[in-house]
Amino acid sequence: MMPIADSHNGRLETERTGRLMRRFLIIVGLLLSLTSFGTIGIHLLTERPWLESAYLAVITLTTVGSEDVPHEDPETMVFVMLYLISGISVFTYSAFQIGGIVVNAEFRSLLEKRRMERHIRTLNDHYVVCGMGRMGTAICEHLHARERDFVVIDADAARLEEIARPRGWLYIHGDATDDNVLIDARIAQASALATVLPTDADNVYVVLSARMQAVKLQIIARANSDDAMKKLERAGASRVVSPFSTGAIKMARFMLTPGMEDFLEITDTHGSPLELADVQITADNPLVGKSLDQTDLRQRGVIVIGIRRENGERLLPPPPTAVITSGDSLFVFGSSAAVNEIIEV
């Protein structure tokens, strides 16, 4: 769970940005009201057209110009004098305040945050990463290198500013165990979620919250113990990864099959011409209904090494006559460009 201090700091930040935005809107409203007042007054007293009245009100208010009123019209003269006296002071103060707000770092940060929120609200089939420790950062770098859309959630604002912001990553400052934060990350529209928070309890809570909001979501969770692995699986995690056991298995593989592991390491490196991938087949995919020997995958530099049916059936290796159906997962190997082209279909 988020520490009390972090939650308090988050509320203070929200309150500060809220006050800043209210202050900006009040000043803009004051200027618009003053301009409207001058426009209406000039129009009623001089019977000039609305556009001309607005023009005179603006140039009078900004002191960049003016136009003499008839001397035989004392009411108009009094109105213009009062409008100038009150308008100049209000306009000068407002212009100074707006200038201060625009160059204010908090205001710039607020505008950037609003743009990021709008961007996040347009995402679909993206990835959500909960936690930006070493594992979370590595996951984000992997997704960024493969040009995938993702959102990272973390309670440490300083870490997000230090790592995510300079790299242009979309992020949400908040507690990933909070349902509203997951909703803000569009968890229901996401393709997969990875939770790598520091404690197993937090990861279990995230898995429970995410699974309740998205039944079919692919959820990958980190566990620090065997007991936590079982709890995460019961909570709804699709896959549970233990850094210790995974690292040990990889070391053993390096000992037993160093050549194969070196080959897999090459295919997993950014910039490598080869890539292993899991391609999800949707109903509108042009491959649906075709057998493997009827597709042009081999000509495009892609080999299908396995098929997992929607009912769990696995074809390893698949025969050339195997028909691709909606809901299948194709395990493919080939050139990065060709694999990415198939994934993006």
Side-chain angles (χ1 to χ4, degrees):
M1 298 295 288
M2 181 188 291
I4 295 176
D6 287 342
S7 178
H8 178 67
N9 290 336
R11 287 195 299 270
L12 288 179
E13 179 183 353
T14 302
E15 291 174 0
R16 282 197 300 269
T17 55
R19 287 196 300 268
L20 196 64
M21 181 57 73
R22 285 194 297 271
R23 180 180 162 197
F24 177 76
L25 293 176
I26 288 172
I27 293 173
V28 172
L30 181 62
L31 288 173
L32 291 175
S33 299
L34 191 60
T35 304
S36 300
F37 173 73
T39 301
I40 295 172
I42 293 174
H43 173 73
L44 294 177
L45 290 170
T46 65
E47 298 183 353
R48 298 188 184 217
W50 283 108
L51 181 59
E52 185 178 349
S53 299
Y55 172 76
L56 291 175
V58 170
I59 66 172
T60 301
L61 182 62
T62 57
T63 70
V64 298
S66 183
E67 184 175 326
D68 291 337
V69 298
H71 295 289
E72 64 275 7
D73 190 353
E75 293 180 355
T76 305
M77 295 175 64
V78 171
F79 174 80
V80 171
M81 285 190 296
L82 293 176
Y83 183 64
L84 275 171
I85 292 172
S86 61
I88 289 175
S89 57
V90 171
F91 178 80
T92 303
Y93 170 79
S94 300
F96 178 78
Q97 291 296 319
I98 289 178
I101 291 175
V102 169
V103 300
N104 188 290
E106 288 186 17
F107 187 73
R108 293 199 304 271
S109 176
L110 175 62
L111 292 179
E112 182 178 338
K113 182 180 178 182
R114 295 296 170 89
R115 285 195 296 268
M116 189 180 301
E117 289 174 351
R118 287 196 297 270
H119 190 176
I120 292 174
R121 285 196 292 269
T122 65
L123 294 178
N124 284 295
D125 295 327
H126 59 291
Y127 302 90
V128 179
V129 181
C130 301
M132 203 172 180
R134 285 178 293 181
M135 280 192 71
T137 302
I139 293 171
C140 292
E141 288 175 343
H142 186 86
L143 294 173
H144 179 71
R146 282 153 180 77
E147 299 181 352
R148 300 290 190 265
D149 291 330
F150 66 92
V151 180
V152 59
I153 303 172
D154 200 275
D156 189 342
R159 188 167 181 80
L160 291 171
E161 291 289 325
E162 177 186 355
I163 299 176
R165 185 178 180 183
R167 303 182 188 188
W169 296 349
L170 298 177
Y171 64 86
I172 295 176
H173 174 222
D175 182 2
T177 63
D178 186 342
D179 288 348
N180 292 325
V181 173
L182 293 178
I183 291 173
D184 291 340
R186 291 176 61 82
I187 192 71
Q189 291 78 27
S191 175
L193 174 144
T195 175
V196 287
L197 297 175
T199 67
D200 290 330
D202 284 347
N203 287 323
V204 170
Y205 203 97
V206 170
V207 171
L208 282 170
S209 300
R211 182 57 70 205
M212 290 176 65
Q213 297 185 49
V215 178
K216 297 183 178 180
L217 180 68
Q218 183 79 1
I219 301 177
I220 298 90
R222 185 185 74 174
N224 295 316
S225 65
D226 292 339
D227 289 340
M229 293 182 70
K230 296 177 182 177
K231 292 177 181 177
L232 286 163
E233 289 173 351
R234 291 172 186 165
S238 308
R239 298 284 188 276
V240 180
V241 177
S242 171
F244 305 106
S245 61
T246 303
I249 292 172
K250 189 167 186 178
M251 291 178 69
R253 285 176 175 171
F254 273 122
M255 295 172 65
L256 297 172
T257 56
M260 178 60 67
E261 289 302 313
D262 287 342
F263 175 74
L264 293 176
E265 193 77 21
I266 291 173
T267 64
D268 195 45
T269 302
H270 176 53
S272 169
L274 301 175
E275 188 165 352
L276 287 166
D278 175 9
V279 180
Q280 303 296 320
I281 303 299
T282 58
D284 57 349
N285 194 297
L287 296 175
V288 172
K290 296 181 179 180
S291 61
L292 291 179
D293 56 3
Q294 291 176 333
T295 67
D296 62 346
L297 295 178
R298 280 185 174 272
Q299 289 78 9
R300 293 160 66 180
V302 176
I303 300 174
V304 179
I305 60 177
I307 298 177
R308 184 177 63 224
R309 301 296 190 187
E310 193 172 17
N311 61 5
E313 179 188 0
R314 288 179 170 82
L315 302 178
L316 294 171
T321 56
V323 178
I324 301 171
T325 60
S326 175
D328 285 351
S329 294
L330 304 185
F331 302 105
V332 301
F333 173 71
S335 66
S336 298
V339 170
N340 288 330
E341 184 180 344
I342 295 173
I343 292 175
E344 293 170 0
V345 170

